[in-house]
Each structure stands twice: as structure tokens, then as C-alpha cells.
Amino acid sequence: MSDDELHALSRRVGDWLAARGATLACAESCTGGWVAETVTATAGSSGWFDRGFVTYSNEAKQELLGVAAATLARHGAVSEETVREMVAGTLVHSRARFALAVSGVAGPGGGTAAKPVGMVCFAWGERDGELRSETVHFDGDRTGIRRQAVIRALAGLMT
């Protein structure tokens, strides 16, 4: 997906949120704020984007979003359990109606047999509503994996 297509996706997300009179907040780990950068580069996003949390370390996930130390110890930062707690914390610490979270192994190092490079976990939630999550395995280099994660995070919000 080109930069133009990525920005078009962001505009579609904005239209989707605006049609619902809703705002979005995000919690990012491996994407390091790329989701927030993409949406804030979209004209008019101040009407539908509330805030973003870049919680790269486990401590940041705990301190800013309330992710339980036990969840991190049991499942690790790259897990659906953790991103689900990241979404819940994002909704608690924002005014947004919708939230998304992403955490993964972008590489080139850091992968294991259980959690290889390219494994990214996502969660999406609506205040007082549904919370869903998934794990996706992407191919490519660090930048490619991170870009694909941004795309999936934004596209997944609307599904």
C-alpha cells in the first residue's frame, strides 16, 4: 500500500467515525505512534481523533494503560491478552468511543519460535461495547511489518 493509499484509508476511517459521531484513541507498541501520525496527517482528524498512547515498554503499558503485571508475565507484551487490556485502558484514559491497540515483533531481532518476527497482535473496542482481537503474521523487513500493522489496525477498526 502506497502512502497515498494509506492516507486514503485514514480518510475512510475518519468518515466511518464521523458517520457515528465518534472519536478514536489508540495504544501502540511496535508501530511507535505510526497509527497516530497517519490519522493526524489527515485533514479534519481533530474532529474524530482523541489521543494516542505510545507504550513501547512493559512499564509504560502498566503505568499509562493499566495493563496488569500478571498479564505481561503470563502472556508477554505480544499477546492478544495484552492488547485487549491496552484497549480497555485506552478507553478508560480517553474520551474516545472507539480504541485500537497494536503490539508485535517488528524485527529484525527479538523473535522466538513462539513469537516470530512479523507476529503482531491487535485489539479493537467500543466503549460499553464489543472488544475483539486477532493475531496476524506479516512478512517483510521492520518497516514493512510496521506499515502492514498500521494498515491492519486502521482497517480492522471498521470490520
Side-chain angles (χ1 to χ4, degrees), residues 93-114:
H93 296 289
S94 74
R95 297 173 188 261
R97 178 171 155 197
F98 291 95
L100 66 84
V102 57
S103 185
V105 184
T112 66

PDB file of all heavy atoms in Angstrom, residues 93-114:
ATOM      1  N   HIS A  93      -8.721   5.832  29.827  1.00  0.00           N
ATOM      2  CA  HIS A  93      -7.894   7.041  29.912  1.00  0.00           C
ATOM      3  C   HIS A  93      -8.078   7.980  28.720  1.00  0.00           C
ATOM      4  O   HIS A  93      -7.175   8.764  28.396  1.00  0.00           O
ATOM      5  CB  HIS A  93      -6.424   6.647  30.066  1.00  0.00           C
ATOM      6  CG  HIS A  93      -6.157   5.909  31.333  1.00  0.00           C
ATOM      7  ND1 HIS A  93      -6.184   6.502  32.574  1.00  0.00           N
ATOM      8  CD2 HIS A  93      -5.895   4.600  31.563  1.00  0.00           C
ATOM      9  CE1 HIS A  93      -5.937   5.598  33.505  1.00  0.00           C
ATOM     10  NE2 HIS A  93      -5.759   4.437  32.913  1.00  0.00           N
ATOM     11  N   SER A  94      -9.226   7.896  28.075  1.00  0.00           N
ATOM     12  CA  SER A  94      -9.527   8.813  26.974  1.00  0.00           C
ATOM     13  C   SER A  94     -11.014   9.116  26.976  1.00  0.00           C
ATOM     14  O   SER A  94     -11.767   8.572  27.783  1.00  0.00           O
ATOM     15  CB  SER A  94      -9.134   8.185  25.623  1.00  0.00           C
ATOM     16  OG  SER A  94     -10.064   7.178  25.248  1.00  0.00           O
ATOM     17  N   ARG A  95     -11.401   9.963  26.054  1.00  0.00           N
ATOM     18  CA  ARG A  95     -12.817  10.289  25.881  1.00  0.00           C
ATOM     19  C   ARG A  95     -13.379   9.628  24.631  1.00  0.00           C
ATOM     20  O   ARG A  95     -14.494   9.879  24.226  1.00  0.00           O
ATOM     21  CB  ARG A  95     -12.988  11.798  25.797  1.00  0.00           C
ATOM     22  CG  ARG A  95     -12.558  12.503  27.058  1.00  0.00           C
ATOM     23  CD  ARG A  95     -12.574  14.005  26.898  1.00  0.00           C
ATOM     24  NE  ARG A  95     -11.979  14.641  28.047  1.00  0.00           N
ATOM     25  CZ  ARG A  95     -12.676  15.156  29.052  1.00  0.00           C
ATOM     26  NH1 ARG A  95     -13.976  15.095  29.047  1.00  0.00           N
ATOM     27  NH2 ARG A  95     -12.058  15.722  30.053  1.00  0.00           N
ATOM     28  N   ALA A  96     -12.572   8.789  24.009  1.00  0.00           N
ATOM     29  CA  ALA A  96     -12.943   8.180  22.736  1.00  0.00           C
ATOM     30  C   ALA A  96     -14.024   7.122  22.912  1.00  0.00           C
ATOM     31  O   ALA A  96     -14.100   6.448  23.939  1.00  0.00           O
ATOM     32  CB  ALA A  96     -11.722   7.550  22.075  1.00  0.00           C
ATOM     33  N   ARG A  97     -14.812   6.968  21.872  1.00  0.00           N
ATOM     34  CA  ARG A  97     -15.807   5.882  21.837  1.00  0.00           C
ATOM     35  C   ARG A  97     -15.172   4.582  21.352  1.00  0.00           C
ATOM     36  O   ARG A  97     -15.564   3.504  21.773  1.00  0.00           O
ATOM     37  CB  ARG A  97     -16.964   6.278  20.925  1.00  0.00           C
ATOM     38  CG  ARG A  97     -18.014   5.201  20.798  1.00  0.00           C
ATOM     39  CD  ARG A  97     -19.225   5.707  20.069  1.00  0.00           C
ATOM     40  NE  ARG A  97     -19.954   4.621  19.445  1.00  0.00           N
ATOM     41  CZ  ARG A  97     -20.850   4.791  18.507  1.00  0.00           C
ATOM     42  NH1 ARG A  97     -21.145   6.000  18.071  1.00  0.00           N
ATOM     43  NH2 ARG A  97     -21.464   3.754  17.985  1.00  0.00           N
ATOM     44  N   PHE A  98     -14.192   4.704  20.447  1.00  0.00           N
ATOM     45  CA  PHE A  98     -13.511   3.537  19.888  1.00  0.00           C
ATOM     46  C   PHE A  98     -12.027   3.600  20.218  1.00  0.00           C
ATOM     47  O   PHE A  98     -11.446   4.684  20.262  1.00  0.00           O
ATOM     48  CB  PHE A  98     -13.679   3.464  18.367  1.00  0.00           C
ATOM     49  CG  PHE A  98     -15.076   3.165  17.924  1.00  0.00           C
ATOM     50  CD1 PHE A  98     -15.940   4.191  17.591  1.00  0.00           C
ATOM     51  CD2 PHE A  98     -15.534   1.856  17.844  1.00  0.00           C
ATOM     52  CE1 PHE A  98     -17.244   3.928  17.171  1.00  0.00           C
ATOM     53  CE2 PHE A  98     -16.827   1.580  17.431  1.00  0.00           C
ATOM     54  CZ  PHE A  98     -17.687   2.614  17.096  1.00  0.00           C
ATOM     55  N   ALA A  99     -11.436   2.420  20.401  1.00  0.00           N
ATOM     56  CA  ALA A  99      -9.992   2.337  20.647  1.00  0.00           C
ATOM     57  C   ALA A  99      -9.423   1.154  19.899  1.00  0.00           C
ATOM     58  O   ALA A  99     -10.120   0.165  19.637  1.00  0.00           O
ATOM     59  CB  ALA A  99      -9.704   2.204  22.138  1.00  0.00           C
ATOM     60  N   LEU A 100      -8.151   1.282  19.569  1.00  0.00           N
ATOM     61  CA  LEU A 100      -7.416   0.169  18.981  1.00  0.00           C
ATOM     62  C   LEU A 100      -6.070   0.076  19.660  1.00  0.00           C
ATOM     63  O   LEU A 100      -5.570   1.055  20.221  1.00  0.00           O
ATOM     64  CB  LEU A 100      -7.275   0.333  17.462  1.00  0.00           C
ATOM     65  CG  LEU A 100      -6.441   1.495  16.915  1.00  0.00           C
ATOM     66  CD1 LEU A 100      -4.957   1.161  16.879  1.00  0.00           C
ATOM     67  CD2 LEU A 100      -6.913   1.833  15.521  1.00  0.00           C
ATOM     68  N   ALA A 101      -5.503  -1.131  19.618  1.00  0.00           N
ATOM     69  CA  ALA A 101      -4.177  -1.354  20.196  1.00  0.00           C
ATOM     70  C   ALA A 101      -3.407  -2.313  19.310  1.00  0.00           C
ATOM     71  O   ALA A 101      -3.992  -3.194  18.669  1.00  0.00           O
ATOM     72  CB  ALA A 101      -4.272  -1.922  21.606  1.00  0.00           C
ATOM     73  N   VAL A 102      -2.089  -2.130  19.298  1.00  0.00           N
ATOM     74  CA  VAL A 102      -1.211  -2.972  18.485  1.00  0.00           C
ATOM     75  C   VAL A 102       0.099  -3.216  19.233  1.00  0.00           C
ATOM     76  O   VAL A 102       0.661  -2.296  19.830  1.00  0.00           O
ATOM     77  CB  VAL A 102      -0.970  -2.339  17.093  1.00  0.00           C
ATOM     78  CG1 VAL A 102      -0.390  -0.946  17.201  1.00  0.00           C
ATOM     79  CG2 VAL A 102      -0.090  -3.198  16.228  1.00  0.00           C
ATOM     80  N   SER A 103       0.545  -4.474  19.221  1.00  0.00           N
ATOM     81  CA  SER A 103       1.823  -4.853  19.828  1.00  0.00           C
ATOM     82  C   SER A 103       2.370  -6.044  19.048  1.00  0.00           C
ATOM     83  O   SER A 103       1.625  -6.983  18.754  1.00  0.00           O
ATOM     84  CB  SER A 103       1.631  -5.228  21.303  1.00  0.00           C
ATOM     85  OG  SER A 103       2.865  -5.489  21.927  1.00  0.00           O
ATOM     86  N   GLY A 104       3.647  -5.984  18.699  1.00  0.00           N
ATOM     87  CA  GLY A 104       4.180  -7.072  17.891  1.00  0.00           C
ATOM     88  C   GLY A 104       5.685  -7.125  17.888  1.00  0.00           C
ATOM     89  O   GLY A 104       6.365  -6.355  18.573  1.00  0.00           O
ATOM     90  N   VAL A 105       6.193  -8.039  17.083  1.00  0.00           N
ATOM     91  CA  VAL A 105       7.635  -8.231  16.903  1.00  0.00           C
ATOM     92  C   VAL A 105       7.966  -7.771  15.490  1.00  0.00           C
ATOM     93  O   VAL A 105       7.712  -8.476  14.512  1.00  0.00           O
ATOM     94  CB  VAL A 105       8.046  -9.708  17.105  1.00  0.00           C
ATOM     95  CG1 VAL A 105       9.563  -9.836  17.015  1.00  0.00           C
ATOM     96  CG2 VAL A 105       7.522 -10.259  18.416  1.00  0.00           C
ATOM     97  N   ALA A 106       8.527  -6.573  15.377  1.00  0.00           N
ATOM     98  CA  ALA A 106       8.807  -5.996  14.061  1.00  0.00           C
ATOM     99  C   ALA A 106      10.168  -6.415  13.511  1.00  0.00           C
ATOM    100  O   ALA A 106      10.411  -6.277  12.317  1.00  0.00           O
ATOM    101  CB  ALA A 106       8.712  -4.470  14.116  1.00  0.00           C
ATOM    102  N   GLY A 107      11.047  -6.909  14.361  1.00  0.00           N
ATOM    103  CA  GLY A 107      12.353  -7.362  13.899  1.00  0.00           C
ATOM    104  C   GLY A 107      13.351  -6.237  13.729  1.00  0.00           C
ATOM    105  O   GLY A 107      13.077  -5.101  14.051  1.00  0.00           O
ATOM    106  N   PRO A 108      14.517  -6.531  13.213  1.00  0.00           N
ATOM    107  CA  PRO A 108      14.876  -7.836  12.669  1.00  0.00           C
ATOM    108  C   PRO A 108      15.162  -8.878  13.748  1.00  0.00           C
ATOM    109  O   PRO A 108      15.094 -10.073  13.483  1.00  0.00           O
ATOM    110  CB  PRO A 108      16.123  -7.554  11.837  1.00  0.00           C
ATOM    111  CG  PRO A 108      16.742  -6.359  12.471  1.00  0.00           C
ATOM    112  CD  PRO A 108      15.601  -5.551  13.018  1.00  0.00           C
ATOM    113  N   GLY A 109      15.452  -8.451  14.969  1.00  0.00           N
ATOM    114  CA  GLY A 109      15.675  -9.391  16.060  1.00  0.00           C
ATOM    115  C   GLY A 109      14.465  -9.454  16.966  1.00  0.00           C
ATOM    116  O   GLY A 109      13.423  -8.857  16.690  1.00  0.00           O
ATOM    117  N   GLY A 110      14.607 -10.177  18.065  1.00  0.00           N
ATOM    118  CA  GLY A 110      13.560 -10.232  19.069  1.00  0.00           C
ATOM    119  C   GLY A 110      12.550 -11.346  18.903  1.00  0.00           C
ATOM    120  O   GLY A 110      11.743 -11.590  19.791  1.00  0.00           O
ATOM    121  N   GLY A 111      12.573 -12.012  17.771  1.00  0.00           N
ATOM    122  CA  GLY A 111      11.625 -13.097  17.551  1.00  0.00           C
ATOM    123  C   GLY A 111      12.044 -14.371  18.262  1.00  0.00           C
ATOM    124  O   GLY A 111      13.212 -14.584  18.564  1.00  0.00           O
ATOM    125  N   THR A 112      11.062 -15.208  18.538  1.00  0.00           N
ATOM    126  CA  THR A 112      11.289 -16.528  19.113  1.00  0.00           C
ATOM    127  C   THR A 112      10.479 -17.536  18.307  1.00  0.00           C
ATOM    128  O   THR A 112       9.683 -17.154  17.439  1.00  0.00           O
ATOM    129  CB  THR A 112      10.834 -16.586  20.585  1.00  0.00           C
ATOM    130  OG1 THR A 112       9.415 -16.423  20.635  1.00  0.00           O
ATOM    131  CG2 THR A 112      11.514 -15.519  21.437  1.00  0.00           C
ATOM    132  N   ALA A 113      10.634 -18.802  18.615  1.00  0.00           N
ATOM    133  CA  ALA A 113       9.835 -19.823  17.927  1.00  0.00           C
ATOM    134  C   ALA A 113       8.351 -19.608  18.191  1.00  0.00           C
ATOM    135  O   ALA A 113       7.517 -19.758  17.293  1.00  0.00           O
ATOM    136  CB  ALA A 113      10.261 -21.217  18.376  1.00  0.00           C
ATOM    137  N   ALA A 114       8.013 -19.211  19.410  1.00  0.00           N
ATOM    138  CA  ALA A 114       6.607 -18.996  19.767  1.00  0.00           C
ATOM    139  C   ALA A 114       6.077 -17.666  19.249  1.00  0.00           C
ATOM    140  O   ALA A 114       4.886 -17.545  18.942  1.00  0.00           O
ATOM    141  CB  ALA A 114       6.442 -19.065  21.281  1.00  0.00           C
TER     142      ALA A 114
END
